[in-house]
Amino acid sequence: MIKADYKDKSHIVNILTKVFDDNNSVNYVIKQDNKREQRIKKLMEYSFDICYLFGNVYLSEDRNACALTLFPDKQKTTLKTILLDLKLAYSSIGLTRIKKVQDRNSKIKNSYPKEPIFYLWFIGVNSTVQSKGIGSSLIKDLIKESEITKRPIYLETSMQKNIEFYNKHGFKVYKELDFGHKLFLIKRDVH
């Protein structure tokens, strides 16, 4: 695993935009219209920027997989983050849906512990090379990083098929939320 540079943004955004096209949680957040794919792309650009500022962005050695991680306790409100939030609201969420998305995010964040965590916001593998162990290799590297930083990993998924993948790597579902689709909150403690 390598730390991504800012110049890797478009490559990473392209991977994540394709991988999360049919994701229930992502599609809950973004406005559903004829610009849906562009809206997903804007969400991934936003997520990259926030993780680049307050976490880490990783690529697999072969550059076919990526992960956006965040240290929520290090997040700060700045002029830049306010502008990023406004851009996201306008370009992805839609102004009439902001409250709905804020309520969702509050319910998720209220389920996290108060101590520092390693938040895995997005992880994805280029669709042309999925099921070849690249995602497993990347998650193992992220687990090592979590151990080094002594922070448990937290994430959520709305895709039932992902739970088996995470269980295989020592994660467990600790809570379910309902937003018209199930959202599984998952964690892996530091060992």
Side-chain angles (χ1 to χ4, degrees):
M1 168 174 88
I2 55 175
K3 273 193 181 176
D5 289 322
Y6 204 80
K7 65 180 172 29
D8 297 311
K9 180 178 177 178
S10 117
H11 175 66
I12 289 167
V13 165
N14 287 337
I15 291 172
L16 295 174
T17 299
K18 289 176 187 157
V19 169
F20 284 87
D21 180 63
D22 65 346
N23 183 278
N24 297 328
S25 187
V26 166
N27 282 296
Y28 179 88
V29 169
I30 63 156
K31 184 176 178 181
Q32 298 295 303
D33 62 10
N34 62 347
K35 296 180 182 175
R36 190 183 64 79
E37 188 175 325
Q38 289 171 268
R39 294 183 190 284
I40 293 172
K41 184 176 183 179
K42 294 294 183 190
L43 172 64
M44 296 308 166
E45 289 172 351
Y46 169 85
S47 303
F48 178 98
D49 287 338
I50 294 296
C51 290
Y52 201 80
L53 288 169
F54 305 113
N56 289 307
V57 179
Y58 297 103
L59 280 165
S60 60
E61 294 288 337
D62 66 2
R63 301 176 54 81
N64 277 309
C66 57
L68 304 181
T69 66
L70 185 64
F71 301 125
D73 59 298
K74 295 191 181 220
Q75 272 186 279
K76 295 181 276 196
T77 301
T78 65
L79 180 58
K80 182 171 185 162
T81 63
I82 291 169
L83 292 173
L84 287 170
D85 289 348
L86 290 171
K87 183 177 175 186
L88 176 71
Y90 179 76
S91 68
S92 282
I93 297 170
L95 300 176
T96 60
R97 303 177 67 256
I98 291 172
K99 174 130 177 54
K100 176 181 171 181
V101 172
Q102 283 178 324
D103 290 346
R104 172 195 173 273
N105 289 347
S106 286
K107 287 178 184 173
I108 294 168
K109 286 181 181 178
N110 288 336
S111 299
Y112 295 148
K114 299 302 175 214
E115 69 260 12
I117 65 169
F118 186 103
Y119 178 62
L120 178 53
W121 198 346
F122 289 107
I123 183 170
V125 178
N126 190 330
S127 58
T128 61
V129 292
Q130 287 181 354
S131 302
K132 297 187 185 295
I134 298 168
S136 288
S137 179
L138 184 57
I139 200 78
K140 287 174 186 172
D141 287 342
L142 292 170
I143 290 167
K144 287 178 192 168
E145 191 70 20
S146 149
E147 297 289 334
I148 290 167
T149 61
K150 299 191 181 344
R151 292 171 176 255
I153 301 175
Y154 280 74
L155 63 105
E156 58 273 341
T157 186
S158 60
M159 308 301 280
Q160 181 76 43
K161 65 183 182 179
N162 293 344
I163 294 173
E164 184 181 329
F165 170 80
Y166 289 114
N167 285 342
K168 185 172 77 172
H169 294 286
F171 291 79
K172 64 180 180 185
V173 174
Y174 69 93
K175 189 172 187 175
E176 291 180 26
L177 298 174
D178 190 344
F179 297 106
H181 65 275
K182 283 192 177 186
L183 187 67
F184 303 96
L185 280 62
I186 299 174
K187 71 177 185 170
R188 186 179 194 285
D189 291 322
V190 177
H191 299 292

